[in-house]
Amino acid sequence: MPDGALAQPDAMTLRLSATGGEGDLRGLVRLLRQGWRWLLAGGIGGIALAICALWLVTPAYTAAMVIGPTARVGSAAMGARVPMLSGRDSAAMAEPGAGDESLSDFARYLELFGSGPVAEQLASDSRLLQALFPERWDVETQRWRPPSGMVPAVKRALLALVGRQDWLEPDGERVARALRDRLVIDMLRSGPMRRITLRHSDRATALDLLGRVAAATDAHLRAEAARRSAAQIAHIKDRLGAVTVAEHRQALSDLLLDQERVAMMIGVELPFAADTIQPPAAAALPDWPNPAAVVPLAGMAGLIAACFGLSVCHALREGHAGEAAR
């Protein structure tokens, strides 16, 4: 053997191993050509299933709005609620701690959007509950009812086996769960603005729901800020009545002026935590699910499934033939 020659060239090359004088890729192409009827049936079957699913699924409208943090400067801004460097620099000490401990009103807004105490508040509105859970509301009797159908019936039976029952009248927790399933919050261009979308089968209901959730979240944060400010003002006034040192009374008076300014700015009829950059809007026609995307993907999935089935059947036949030859 010459120096430098390889003893097993096939093991060191990218050449496909031959089986019966035919490469693996060529054999696969040949197999697919022979089973073209199965491939055609798989593609047509996938498209047919997609069409049936589109007829069964209720189309939905997607309502979207764009929000951002409340502006402090500019002609359309609310202005700074917390006074900076006034009095004895008391406002600078309003929120002590490390920088990563601070939490903005906008961050609270995003966290509470449609959840927690906001969901509890929304649950007190019967019209909103009927829009969120139309399958549970009986229009004729004006009462809540269990959903009809085989799947809900099986679920109730399974719950009954373990001594539990399905819920009837929705509460705050159910509202929060329903909104969490419907709401999507996306970041816009890595900036502070967010796009919030909500899907519903009725366009007007989708727009109304999104606007009401946004308004309820902002109102909750405003009420919480007003409560804190009122408590601080009451505490400062109480201390002023007990302090007699002139210097201490001056410091408390400066704090009182700052807090009264904060309370005044909280009461301004402007967005408190989030500005609406684009109000809720939705297309005139349903946009979910999208048939132009679902049908081709379903046909491709059917082709892939048929190709896999042909490969499995061919492998099984080859295995049986090899065992029979032995």
Side-chain angles (χ1 to χ4, degrees):
M1 177 181 298
D3 293 339
L6 297 176
Q8 295 180 351
D10 290 341
M12 301 296 294
T13 61
L14 297 177
R15 188 177 64 180
L16 295 173
S17 60
T19 303
E22 193 174 60
D24 290 343
L25 183 59
R26 186 175 299 177
L28 178 61
V29 173
R30 181 170 175 269
L31 176 64
L32 296 179
R33 290 181 60 185
Q34 292 177 350
W36 66 271
R37 293 181 179 86
W38 292 101
L39 296 178
L40 181 61
I44 295 177
I47 294 175
L49 288 177
I51 293 175
C52 293
L54 289 174
W55 276 103
L56 294 176
V57 173
T58 302
Y61 297 83
T62 302
M65 66 182 300
V66 178
I67 61 172
T70 305
R72 299 290 184 254
V73 295
S75 57
M78 178 180 182
R81 291 189 299 272
V82 179
M84 299 302 296
L85 300 178
S86 63
R88 296 179 179 270
D89 296 343
S90 57
M93 297 163 43
E95 193 170 303
D100 56 356
E101 294 179 4
S102 62
L103 185 64
S104 66
D105 292 328
F106 187 63
R108 292 184 177 94
Y109 181 92
L110 295 177
E111 182 64 27
L112 291 175
F113 197 87
S115 63
V118 177
E120 294 289 345
Q121 179 182 351
L122 294 173
S124 61
D125 190 342
S126 59
R127 293 182 58 187
L128 187 141
L129 294 179
Q130 297 169 18
L132 272 178
F133 308 100
E135 72 282 355
R136 294 268 185 168
W137 179 251
D138 192 341
V139 180
E140 297 180 356
T141 61
Q142 296 294 307
R143 297 180 60 183
W144 295 101
R145 65 180 180 185
S148 59
M150 181 178 297
V151 175
V154 172
K155 178 183 177 181
R156 289 194 296 270
L158 293 177
L159 290 175
L161 290 177
V162 296
R164 297 170 57 187
Q165 60 181 359
D166 193 13
W167 63 277
L168 287 178
E169 186 171 354
D171 53 6
E173 190 274 334
R174 295 292 174 179
V175 172
R177 184 182 301 181
L179 291 176
R180 186 167 55 249
D181 294 338
R182 296 168 182 262
L183 289 170
V184 178
I185 302 178
D186 297 320
M187 180 183 296
L188 290 182
R189 295 182 291 277
S190 68
M193 292 189 298
R194 299 291 188 273
R195 175 183 285 112
I196 304 178
T197 58
L198 181 143
R199 285 197 180 115
H200 198 274
S201 57
D202 182 72
R203 182 178 181 273
T205 302
L207 295 173
D208 181 65
L209 275 176
L210 190 57
R212 296 182 68 177
V213 173
T217 306
D218 195 81
H220 171 76
L221 290 174
R222 185 191 299 274
E224 183 66 16
R227 182 187 67 83
R228 289 175 176 270
S229 179
Q232 292 175 359
I233 291 174
H235 178 72
I236 295 173
K237 288 182 177 180
D238 182 67
R239 294 297 299 165
L240 274 173
V243 174
T244 58
V245 180
E247 184 178 356
H248 294 173
R249 289 184 62 86
Q250 182 62 40
L252 290 175
S253 297
D254 292 340
L255 282 175
L256 182 60
L257 288 175
D258 291 345
Q259 290 302 322
E260 286 180 345
R261 180 187 173 188
V262 172
M264 180 185 66
M265 295 304 296
I266 290 174
V268 176
E269 293 297 328
L270 288 174
F272 176 80
D275 274 327
T276 301
I277 310 301
Q278 292 182 7
L285 297 176
D287 56 358
W288 185 90
N290 186 6
V294 173
V295 174
L297 288 177
M300 187 178 299
L303 285 174
I304 295 174
C307 181
F308 179 76
L310 284 175
S311 301
V312 171
C313 292
H314 179 71
L316 292 176
R317 286 197 301 267
E318 291 291 334
H320 291 320
E323 292 178 0
R326 294 179 186 176

